[in-house]
Amino acid sequence: MTRLTLESINQSVVKAKYAVRGELAVKSETYRAKIRKGDAQDLPFDQVISSNIGNPQQLGQKPITFYRQVLSLLENPRLLDHEDVLVNSLEYKPDVVERARWLLQQVGSVGAYSASAGVPAIKESVANFLERRDGYPADPTSIYLTAGASSAVNILMHIICANQNSGILVPIPQYPLYTALLSVLDATCVPYYLNEQANWGTSLDQIKEAYEKAKSDGVDVRAIVVINPGNPTGASLSAADVRSVLEFAADENLVVLADEVYQANVFVGAFHSFRKVLYDLQKETPGKFDGLELASVHSTSKGLIGECGHRGGYFETIGFDKQVSEQIYKYVSITLCAPVIGQCLVEMMVNPPQPGSPSYELYHEENSAIFNELQRRATALYEAFKDMEGVECGEPQGSMYLFPTIRLPAKAVEAAQKEGRKPDEFYCHRMLDATGVCTVPGSGFGQADGTQHFRVTFLAPGTEWIRIVHEFHGKFMDEFR
């Protein structure tokens, strides 16, 4: 008999759900493997489009030249012995070589461990970026370099959640990392609903209602998570929304965890960092906000970089007790350090080529092209949804996703029940089987009772796949009308 069984392993892990890599994603990889082996004669499509996860380079986004050229020199420093060949024959700009030499001076080798919280010089670069972005200085000792944003959230959740009674306010719909981690930690998720009628904005009334109910149930609510720009919704919060969350957190003594990995992907309005708004409030109302604890998270996986596989990220803490910070350092030390190549990529993200530098023109051209193409595809997908029966979708605001509402016919709901599936899950399975486009049902992110949604990325190149989804939807509605 095996020692480990589904019943005998950690049940908190068994209960955790992570829809973006769930059953649909597994099925899509099965289809992809069949196509790759030339054994897909029974499939009505010849490619799988993984619109279930924000993985830009899997969907054809090209790496930005400056980043990859520097990384290539970091991985193979002997190339620096041939600078003339690099510059004159391989189109490496002098500032690429200069950046690689500087980074190697700081890290020694990308194959060596760094300090647990990250390379000190890279943390200083992050601090300088935060000061340029927000107009307020940052302390490098309060910055921790991590293996992507997921690692940062994992660290912070482990520090904040003390036991089963520890509660975290989480937006619904939310990126399922948060509910999955809370399940693994055996802590309490306190869901608060976003306002779909206001383009998925943060509703202070909903936050207060969720908080008060949890408190009355005896939950020790310790923190509030805000994802801005939103995932899965794509919502970009106003400065007023950010301010209201911080004011509420100050009144109720809550830690604020700001997930800001999509800050470069804002199509409507501007990005308002929690950090800047907090410091503005501290300046306006001395004393009231001085003790508020804020942790903000960023990553090289999203934005316009899309370097998911290199696992680079960071988080900054503000207002944390010195002894708690020491425990955070101890916790990150357990995993030794984040990948050093990812740390170097963080440095380039926060300190990209500037106007007048040799690499700037190409960097700016590539960056702008990625942003403009994302916005173009987001608009094309939005326009397609507007033309689809029973589908409603807010205007694209930011991040990499749209999260439309779908109203399915009663026959489709009945068919889903017969398969033991939720209606939006049934719809997404049918879409994958018919088109090869993999999406995630809204039930995987949480949604208001009685509503159905699905999340789709607009990262896949071109717009032909959007037409195919449009055609599928029409046939689906006709089949179950």
Side-chain angles (χ1 to χ4, degrees), residues 188-445:
T188 302
C189 177
V190 181
Y192 69 89
Y193 287 90
L194 301 175
N195 186 351
E196 184 170 6
Q197 283 64 49
N199 284 326
W200 295 109
T202 299
S203 167
L204 190 58
D205 288 340
Q206 287 281 355
I207 293 172
K208 288 179 177 178
E209 181 180 335
Y211 174 76
E212 293 298 338
K213 181 181 184 305
K215 269 187 64 179
S216 68
D217 291 339
V219 177
D220 175 20
V221 185
R222 297 179 160 214
I224 179 169
V225 172
V226 184
I227 307 173
N228 179 43
N231 178 6
T233 65
S236 183
L237 298 183
S238 67
D241 279 342
V242 174
R243 179 177 289 249
S244 68
V245 170
L246 290 169
E247 289 173 340
F248 173 77
D251 289 341
E252 304 299 342
N253 194 27
L254 299 176
V255 179
V256 177
L257 203 169
D259 181 335
E260 299 176 332
V261 301
Y262 296 100
Q263 61 187 260
N265 301 80
V266 177
F267 306 136
V268 177
F271 167 69
H272 302 282
S273 78
F274 272 78
R275 181 180 187 276
K276 181 183 187 308
V277 177
L278 172 59
Y279 281 132
D280 287 345
L281 286 168
Q282 289 180 349
K283 184 188 291 186
E284 294 168 15
T285 314
K288 179 178 178 181
F289 297 92
D290 292 354
L292 195 152
E293 295 144 288
L294 168 68
S296 52
V297 177
H298 196 12
S299 166
T300 63
S301 299
K302 309 304 178 185
L304 306 176
I305 302 176
E307 292 283 2
C308 306
H310 277 109
R311 310 310 298 134
Y314 71 81
F315 67 92
E316 181 203 24
T317 60
I318 295 173
F320 277 52
D321 179 85
K322 182 177 182 294
Q323 290 183 318
V324 172
S325 296
E326 290 170 354
Q327 296 305 307
I328 293 174
Y329 186 87
K330 180 177 72 176
Y331 188 86
V332 301
S333 299
I334 293 171
T335 55
L336 296 175
C337 69
V340 174
I341 198 73
Q343 294 186 46
C344 292
L345 192 58
V346 168
E347 199 285 327
M348 289 182 274
M349 174 182 74
V350 300
N351 186 23
Q354 298 301 305
S357 65
S359 293
Y360 177 75
E361 185 176 341
L362 178 59
Y363 168 81
H364 179 69
E365 177 185 316
E366 291 176 338
N367 222 42
S368 298
I370 292 169
F371 182 89
N372 292 336
E373 184 60 18
L374 286 176
Q375 188 170 29
R376 185 182 77 84
R377 290 199 296 266
T379 302
L381 193 55
Y382 166 67
E383 293 296 335
F385 286 149
K386 286 202 303 183
D387 191 45
M388 288 162 59
E389 179 187 355
V391 176
E392 293 180 11
C393 185
E395 181 182 0
Q397 299 177 70
S399 79
M400 298 174 174
Y401 316 101
L402 292 179
F403 196 66
T405 295
I406 48 173
R407 292 182 173 82
L408 300 177
K411 280 187 177 180
V413 175
E414 291 171 9
Q417 290 172 342
K418 287 178 182 177
E419 289 191 10
R421 299 191 185 281
K422 295 175 181 176
D424 50 7
E425 184 186 9
F426 174 77
Y427 177 86
C428 290
H429 273 275
R430 291 293 293 261
M431 183 192 300
L432 174 61
D433 294 342
T435 68
V437 177
C438 184
T439 57
V440 188
S443 50
F445 302 97

Side-chain angles (χ1 to χ4, degrees), residues 49-192:
I49 296 177
S50 299
S51 285
N52 58 306
I53 193 166
N55 195 10
Q57 293 186 24
Q58 184 193 46
L59 291 169
Q61 181 174 305
K62 301 299 181 188
I64 291 176
T65 301
F66 177 79
Y67 299 143
R68 283 301 181 89
Q69 286 185 338
V70 173
L71 293 178
S72 71
L73 300 179
L74 297 179
E75 290 282 11
N76 189 3
R78 292 180 62 184
L79 293 173
L80 292 167
D81 296 337
H82 306 282
E83 184 173 342
D84 56 332
V85 177
L86 292 171
V87 174
N88 297 323
S89 301
L90 299 177
E91 299 183 346
Y92 281 55
K93 301 296 185 183
D95 56 341
V96 168
V97 175
E98 180 184 351
R99 183 67 64 89
R101 291 190 190 279
W102 181 82
L103 283 167
L104 285 168
Q105 287 174 357
Q106 310 310 315
V107 306
S109 167
V110 295
Y113 292 132
S114 73
S116 295
V119 177
I122 296 177
K123 298 205 300 176
E124 289 175 10
S125 286
V126 174
N128 292 336
F129 159 74
L130 292 171
E131 183 170 3
R132 289 194 305 272
R133 188 193 68 185
D134 298 332
Y136 296 99
D139 178 3
T141 64
S142 296
I143 292 166
Y144 303 80
L145 303 179
T146 60
S150 297
S151 173
V153 172
N154 184 38
I155 292 163
L156 290 162
M157 289 289 205
H158 271 83
I159 295 296
I160 295 169
C161 297
N163 50 48
Q164 287 180 324
N165 200 43
S166 299
I168 308 290
L169 282 155
V170 175
I172 298 297
Q174 51 92 42
Y175 181 52
L177 167 68
Y178 295 95
T179 46
L181 273 175
L182 288 168
S183 178
V184 170
L185 289 166
D186 202 16
T188 302
C189 177
V190 181
Y192 69 89

